[in-house]
């Protein structure tokens, strides 16, 4: 009877801690998806070309974000374990390492978008109207890329010490400012000029300035950490090697996955603007439907990492099991929610008849894909990374996407000339190719490792 009560208390404590972390992350993701939804809806009044151009241009940002996610995962992966151990000095050093590397990434992408926007657009499409419109967008929004590089690492550090609520407050303010800016500069409110797609880019830049300023103000006031410019110049060869060792596979994993999706965009872009525009609308609802399950996956990594860093290995295993089961349940609910939201698809924007006909089959494909994506994400990004095992996901995604899905998609589109919707289905089968391997690795327990050092 006592063991049963202890188990109930442990389960209750786990879910309480999980939701304390996940709720702010889910809210942050919801607001991010809301900005994307607002962009699409507002640009729908500008025209289908603006929607498709912004969608393709944002794949550049998506690839950049994958570097940031990988670096942020490296920060959270290591810092959360040191937080469980009570070593805040090492967390400060990790912050400095992550900031320098993230700044380098932001500079590369920002300069490329600012100086070579049309060249970047030509990677995704040969439609001159899309290239011209997307190029205008990238030339402006590229300025925000460098700013984002710093705010992302600051926020990752705050999350690793369980300050997810304040991170949500920061991003909420920035995203609301972004939506307001979109409305002002797209429609020319309050005497501002009507800028169309360029207005979306300008609003993004303004919101990123505000986000960075708030992030710096918050982390400078965290009592447990002494984060400042000095952290950028700290030298610790052991921690640097650990960061590279554990974050590089995470970066590689995100980049391989993102580059695969960018290649999907290239394939879709060459199959026509109708498919691109229809996919843009479906993705808005897909992002909304996956907010909770993806928030649980990434938030659970913080909780598990803290337990592993504190030496609570058996507790971490039980917590991982609870995290996986609850996240998969959330994924099924998300898939059903996407199917139930079908009527919204036809009210979000004015599309051509051909693009409109594609909406329902694309929605069905995405609903199915959500289930596979949920299982893979909670295992790769949640459970495995909490134990420092980012390499497994990197290798698996490389094989699944680049040895199977991308080649099959290229053959289907450009050799066999299959219908666009069928090509789309083939591209999105990658989640089910890697799922069985992920489950086997999880069951083996080889992912659980304490990666902290004694200084």
């Amino acid at each position: 009877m006592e063991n049963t009560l202890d188990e109930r208390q442990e389960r209750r404590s786990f879910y309480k801690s999980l939701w304390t972390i996940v709720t702010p992350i889910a809210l942050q993701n919801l607001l991010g998806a809301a900005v994307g939804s607002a962009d699409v809806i507002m640009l729908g009044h500008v025209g289908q070309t603006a929607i498709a151009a912004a969608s393709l241009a944002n794949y550049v940002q998506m690839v950049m974000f994958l570097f940031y996610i990988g670096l942020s995962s490296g920060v959270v992966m290591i810092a959360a374990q040191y937080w469980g151990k009570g070593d805040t000095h090492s967390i400060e050093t990790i912050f400095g390492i992550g900031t320098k590397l993230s700044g380098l990434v932001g500079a590369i992408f920002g300069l490329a978008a600012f100086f070579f926007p049309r060249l970047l657009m030509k990677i995704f499409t040969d439609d001159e109207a899309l290239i011209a419109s997307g190029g205008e967008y990238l030339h402006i929004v590229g300025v925000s890329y460098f700013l984002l590089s710093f705010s992302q690492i600051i926020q990752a550090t705050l999350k690793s010490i369980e300050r997810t609520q304040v991170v949500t407050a920061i991003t909420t303010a920035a995203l609301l400012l972004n939506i307001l800016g979109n409305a002002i500069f797209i429609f020319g409110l309050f005497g501002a000029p009507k800028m169309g797609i360029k207005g979306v880019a300008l609003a993004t830049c303004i919101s990123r300035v505000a986000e960075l300023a708030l992030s710096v103000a918050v982390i400078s006031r965290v009592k447990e950490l002494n984060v400042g410019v000095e952290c950028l110049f700290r030298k610790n060869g052991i921690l640097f090697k650990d960061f590279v060792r554990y974050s590089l596979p995470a970066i590689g994993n995100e980049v391989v996955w993102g580059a695969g999706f960018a290649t999907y965009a290239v394939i879709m872009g060459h199959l026509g603007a109708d498919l691109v525009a229809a996919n843009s609308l479906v993705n808005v609802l897909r992002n909304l439907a996956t907010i909770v399950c993806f928030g649980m996956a990434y938030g659970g990594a913080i909780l598990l990492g803290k337990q592993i860093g504190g030496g609570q290995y058996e507790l971490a295993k039980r917590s991982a099991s609870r995290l996986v089961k609850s996240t998969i349940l959330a994924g099924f609910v998300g898939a059903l929610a996407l199917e139930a939201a079908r009527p919204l698809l036809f009210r979000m924007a004015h599309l051509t008849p051909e693009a409109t006909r594609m909406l329902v089959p694309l929605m069905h494909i995405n609903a199915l894909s959500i289930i596979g994506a949920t299982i893979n994400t909670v295992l790769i990004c949640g459970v495995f990374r909490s134990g420092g095992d980012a390499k497994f996901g990197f290798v698996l995604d490389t094989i699944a996407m680049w040895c199977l899905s991308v080649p099959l998609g290229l053959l289907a589109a450009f050799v066999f000339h299959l219908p666009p919707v069928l090509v789309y289905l083939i591209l999105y089968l990658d989640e089910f190719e890697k799922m069985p391997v992920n489950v086997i690795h999880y069951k083996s327990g080889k992912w659980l490792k304490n990666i902290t050092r004694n200084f």
Side-chain angles (χ1 to χ4, degrees):
M1 182 69 177
E2 185 177 343
N3 289 338
T4 303
L5 288 174
D6 289 343
E7 183 180 346
R8 288 177 181 174
Q9 290 174 349
E10 181 184 294
R11 187 187 303 111
R12 199 176 297 120
S13 175
F14 167 77
Y15 285 115
K16 181 180 179 181
S17 298
L18 179 64
W19 285 109
T20 300
I21 294 173
V22 169
T23 301
I25 293 176
L27 178 59
Q28 182 182 350
N29 291 342
L30 173 62
L31 291 167
V35 171
S37 303
D39 285 354
V40 171
I41 293 170
M42 292 180 194
L43 284 173
H45 294 277
V46 178
Q48 180 171 308
T49 297
I51 294 176
S55 175
L56 289 178
N58 277 328
Y59 276 101
V60 176
Q61 180 172 290
M62 187 196 79
V63 173
M64 177 192 67
F65 254 114
L66 296 170
F67 280 94
Y68 290 159
I69 292 171
L71 287 167
S72 298
S73 294
V75 171
V76 172
M77 195 186 312
I78 302 174
Q81 289 205 13
Y82 277 109
W83 179 244
K85 193 175 184 178
D87 183 353
T88 56
H89 187 271
S90 293
I91 296 175
E92 297 163 7
T93 306
I94 290 297
F95 164 80
I97 295 170
T99 299
K100 287 183 286 188
L101 294 176
S102 184
L104 177 61
V105 172
I108 292 171
F109 277 88
L111 290 172
F114 186 81
F115 289 107
F116 310 106
R118 287 180 59 87
L119 182 61
L120 291 175
M121 285 300 299
K122 287 180 180 179
I123 296 173
F124 299 100
T125 183
D126 53 7
D127 187 313
E128 181 56 37
L130 297 182
I131 292 171
S133 186
E136 291 179 339
Y137 173 83
L138 282 174
H139 179 69
I140 298 173
V141 82
V143 176
S144 72
Y145 292 170
F146 188 64
L147 302 173
L148 191 60
S149 66
F150 298 106
S151 59
Q152 288 294 292
I153 298 301
I154 294 174
Q155 291 171 19
T157 305
L158 291 170
K159 288 178 182 178
S160 70
I161 61 171
E162 300 179 273
R163 297 296 201 279
T164 54
Q165 295 93 336
V166 72
V167 171
T168 299
I170 293 169
T171 55
T172 298
L175 291 170
L176 291 176
L177 179 61
N178 198 347
I179 293 175
L180 176 62
N182 285 344
I184 291 173
F185 295 117
I186 290 176
F187 301 115
L189 303 180
F190 309 114
K194 289 185 178 182
M195 300 176 64
I197 192 172
K198 292 188 289 185
V200 176
L202 180 58
T204 298
C205 290
I206 294 171
S207 69
R208 295 305 182 195
V209 171
E211 182 178 19
L212 178 58
L214 289 171
S215 298
V216 171
V218 168
I219 199 165
S220 64
R221 288 170 173 76
V222 173
K223 295 180 180 179
E224 293 89 345
L225 299 179
N226 184 22
V227 170
V229 177
E230 175 268 335
C231 294
L232 302 177
F233 299 98
R234 277 191 198 173
K235 293 183 178 180
N236 187 317
I238 295 175
L239 276 180
F240 181 80
K241 288 179 181 177
D242 281 350
F243 187 85
V244 171
R245 177 183 177 186
Y246 295 112
S247 66
L248 272 185
I251 295 170
N253 191 178
E254 297 293 344
V255 171
V256 161
W257 181 87
F261 261 83
T263 304
Y264 295 176
V266 171
I267 295 172
M268 286 187 280
H270 286 83
L271 290 176
D274 289 326
L275 180 61
V276 174
N279 181 57
S280 300
L281 295 190
V282 173
N283 267 336
V284 168
L285 295 182
R286 177 193 171 107
N287 290 338
L288 291 170
T290 55
I291 283 167
V292 175
C293 55
F294 286 176
M296 291 173 70
Y298 283 94
I302 299 170
L303 182 58
L304 294 179
K306 181 182 178 182
Q307 292 175 349
I308 295 170
Q312 300 172 297
Y313 304 130
E314 292 303 317
L315 175 60
K317 288 180 181 178
R318 294 192 296 272
S319 295
S321 176
R322 292 172 182 133
L323 175 66
V324 171
K325 292 174 183 176
S326 56
T327 304
I328 292 173
L329 176 61
F332 273 97
V333 173
L336 293 174
L338 179 59
E339 289 285 358
R342 184 189 310 176
L344 293 176
L345 281 173
F346 302 98
R347 300 178 182 177
M348 292 172 62
H350 300 292
L351 303 182
T352 65
E354 181 59 28
T356 302
R357 279 193 290 271
M358 293 180 180
L359 288 175
V360 172
L362 263 57
M363 185 201 63
H364 292 324
I365 293 170
N366 274 273
L368 181 63
S369 175
I370 284 175
I371 297 171
T374 298
I375 296 171
N376 291 321
T377 301
V378 70
L379 292 177
I380 292 176
C381 301
V383 176
F384 300 165
R385 287 187 187 176
S386 70
D389 187 6
K391 185 177 180 180
F392 182 83
F394 170 45
V395 173
L396 184 59
D397 269 327
T398 301
I399 294 172
M401 298 196 82
W402 290 97
C403 297
L404 293 172
S405 291
V406 170
L408 288 174
L410 291 170
L411 288 171
F414 304 119
V415 176
F416 299 111
H417 303 288
L418 297 179
V421 172
L422 185 54
V423 175
Y424 190 92
L425 172 61
I426 291 171
L427 291 174
Y428 275 75
L429 288 176
D430 69 293
E431 297 292 354
F432 296 93
E433 295 163 0
K434 59 192 178 187
M435 186 196 305
V437 184
N438 269 326
V439 172
I440 292 171
H441 187 63
Y442 166 67
K443 292 291 187 180
S444 73
K446 295 178 181 178
W447 51 270
L448 200 158
K449 301 172 186 175
N450 188 326
I451 58 176
T452 61
R453 304 273 189 166
N454 294 316
F455 293 108

